[in-house]
Amino acid sequence: MHGWISHPDDVDAKVAEWSAQYPERFTAESMTQYAGRKVWALTVTDKSVDDAPKSKTMFYKPHAHEPAPIAGQVNVINSLLAGETLDGRPTEFDNDRVLTDALLTFIIDANPEGTATAPVEYWDGSQYTNDEFWAWMRGVDPDTGKMWKRVDLWDDTKEEKLPTRYGIVYEQISEHEYVEPNRHHSSTLFKWIFKLWERYEWDQMFSLHQTEFEKRDENCMIILPVLYGDQPEDIKEYETQWADYVVSAWADLDGGRPILESKPLGYSGEQRQYFVERWGRFYDKSRIITSEIQNNSPKTSPFLQMRLNEVAIRATVEFGLGQC
Ligand SMILES: [Zn+2]
C-alpha cells in the first residue's frame, strides 16, 4: 500500500535517509536483537534547543503481529522532518513548535525479526481468520492446531511439546529462549526503556497496540495502567485527560469509532502479575497509556489502522505540549 512502511528492511532504509537528510533534528540509535535485526530508538527534536524544558514522550510498539503502529510512526516522523507523510499528505503538526518544545522518542518496532516473519505486511481480515491470525501470533499448538500459550518467557529445550510454528509475538533472546517483549525485562524493548529512562525520564509513555474488537462495533480504545487505582492522584488525572484527548481526536476522524470511556487494563492472575512486576516501577514516576486499534478486520482498513495511529500520536504530542 502506498504510504505504508512496516517491514524492517524498509524501516532501516528510511532511517538511513532521515539520518542523512535531517541530522540536526533526528537521532537514530540501535541495539541489535539476538536474531540480528536492529531495534531502533529514533528521537525527533531540534538539537540546538536545550532539552531540559521540553515535553518528553516515548512511543513504543511491542508486538510483531500489530504492524499498523509502525506505519503510523513512520508517517508522523516523516511529517515532522519533511513536512508531509510518505503519500504526500501535509503535516498535521505545528512542526516548528513540536521540534522546539517537544522531544519525541519512537521505539518504532521492538521486535523487527517477528515483524519480518509475518506472512503479510498488514492484517486486513481478508486472508486469515482470527484463529489463524492468533496462531501466527503465539504459535501453533501441536495438539489443537490453534493458538499456543501466552507466557513471559519460554525455553524450547524445556517445553514438553513445542509449537509446530513459533509465534511471531515472541522475541528470541538466546539460542533457546523467547520472551514477549512487554512482559519480560530480557527483551530488547525493556533494555531500551531502562537505558533511555536514565536520559529522558519521559513525561508521557505511550504503548501502541492493536486488537481484534471481535464482539464490538468500536475500532479503537485507550487503556489506563493495570495499577491505575494505586497511582498518585495527579498522575491519574493526567492520564484520564490525556486518554480523553486522544479519544476525542479519534472521534473526529472519518471512520474513527472509539470506546468513549477509558478504563484500566482488566487483567487478573498471571497476566496482571506480569504488568505489576515489569512495569510497576514506572507507575508512580511517569504517565502511561496504551492504545488499541482494530486489527485483522474488514471493518478497519489498513489505511484507517495507520490513520488511527497517526491521530493518536498527534493528539498525544499536542496534549504534552499543552501541559508544559
Ligand atoms: Zn499488543
Side-chain angles (χ1 to χ4, degrees):
M1 185 174 70
H2 185 50
W4 175 292
I5 280 183
S6 58
H7 193 285
D9 292 344
D10 299 326
V11 171
D12 289 356
K14 194 48 77 176
V15 168
E17 207 179 295
W18 289 330
S19 297
Q21 285 184 28
Y22 308 102
E24 67 289 346
R25 282 172 271 166
F26 180 72
T27 306
E29 299 168 275
S30 68
M31 284 187 198
T32 302
Q33 63 179 166
Y34 180 81
R37 289 190 180 271
K38 286 188 166 114
V39 178
W40 293 107
L42 307 174
T43 299
V44 177
T45 194
D46 183 337
K47 295 184 200 174
S48 71
V49 177
D50 178 22
D51 286 343
K54 287 174 181 169
S55 164
K56 300 183 184 69
T57 303
M58 197 263 291
F59 301 90
Y60 57 104
K61 208 291 284 192
H63 289 153
H65 60 287
E66 301 165 7
I70 306 173
Q73 290 172 95
V74 166
N75 277 316
V76 164
I77 295 170
N78 209 70
S79 292
L80 290 168
L81 296 176
E84 60 180 25
T85 59
L86 298 187
D87 52 346
R89 290 174 284 121
T91 182
E92 298 176 316
F93 294 84
D94 178 345
N95 276 15
D96 288 339
R97 167 113 207 263
V98 173
L99 290 163
T100 305
D101 294 343
L103 183 148
L104 310 175
T105 298
F106 301 87
I107 300 178
I108 192 165
D109 182 355
N111 181 11
E113 180 65 16
T115 305
T117 308
V120 291
E121 285 202 43
Y122 42 75
W123 300 88
D124 62 8
S126 70
Q127 295 183 67
Y128 299 90
T129 64
N130 280 340
D131 276 329
E132 291 165 342
F133 167 62
W134 295 329
W136 274 100
M137 167 176 65
R138 291 195 196 130
V140 180
D141 186 289
D143 294 326
T144 65
K146 292 193 171 185
M147 165 173 73
W148 199 57
K149 63 185 177 181
R150 178 172 220 175
V151 285
D152 57 344
L153 176 144
W154 58 285
D155 179 325
D156 66 8
T157 64
K158 293 179 182 157
E159 293 292 332
E160 245 172 68
K161 282 187 183 176
L162 288 172
T164 53
R165 181 182 65 228
Y166 291 8
I168 62 174
V169 76
Y170 293 114
E171 182 191 19
Q172 188 173 7
I173 56 159
S174 70
E175 191 181 354
H176 295 294
E177 291 171 304
Y178 298 78
V179 294
E180 187 173 335
N182 60 340
R183 282 170 171 72
H184 201 282
H185 284 170
S186 299
S187 66
T188 310
L189 172 68
F190 266 112
K191 288 182 191 164
W192 260 134
I193 288 174
F194 289 132
K195 179 172 176 168
L196 293 176
W197 174 262
E198 298 300 315
R199 200 192 299 168
Y200 295 130
E201 295 190 13
W202 307 284
D203 305 296
Q204 308 182 133
M205 298 169 72
F206 194 5
S207 193
L208 306 172
H209 292 258
Q210 297 192 259
T211 193
E212 289 66 68
F213 290 90
E214 267 201 309
K215 299 186 176 86
R216 301 203 62 138
D217 293 327
E218 295 93 338
N219 64 357
C220 48
M221 65 175 163
I222 294 294
I223 302 173
L224 300 167
V226 70
L227 289 180
Y228 175 80
D230 297 336
Q231 289 187 294
E233 286 305 319
D234 59 324
I235 290 184
K236 283 162 70 167
E237 194 181 318
Y238 187 110
E239 287 169 343
T240 304
Q241 290 176 4
W242 171 18
D244 288 348
Y245 195 83
V246 174
V247 164
S248 94
W250 277 336
D252 288 343
L253 179 71
D254 197 18
R257 301 188 304 277
I259 292 177
L260 296 176
E261 193 193 344
S262 303
K263 294 181 181 162
L265 184 65
Y267 282 139
S268 58
E270 185 180 70
Q271 296 299 326
R272 175 189 171 87
Q273 202 49 34
Y274 291 150
F275 276 87
V276 172
E277 283 173 17
R278 309 291 144 69
W279 292 96
R281 69 187 70 189
F282 292 106
Y283 289 145
D284 59 355
K285 296 189 185 77
S286 189
R287 298 91 170 190
I288 306 178
I289 65 170
T290 294
S291 60
E292 294 281 5
I293 289 164
Q294 191 168 37
N295 205 2
N296 203 44
S297 167
K299 291 195 286 185
T300 305
S301 69
F303 181 79
L304 183 55
Q305 296 175 29
M306 179 175 81
R307 277 298 287 145
L308 288 163
N309 274 284
E310 293 170 7
V311 167
I313 295 168
R314 172 174 53 80
T316 291
V317 173
E318 284 175 7
F319 188 78
L321 287 173
Q323 305 299 311
C324 70

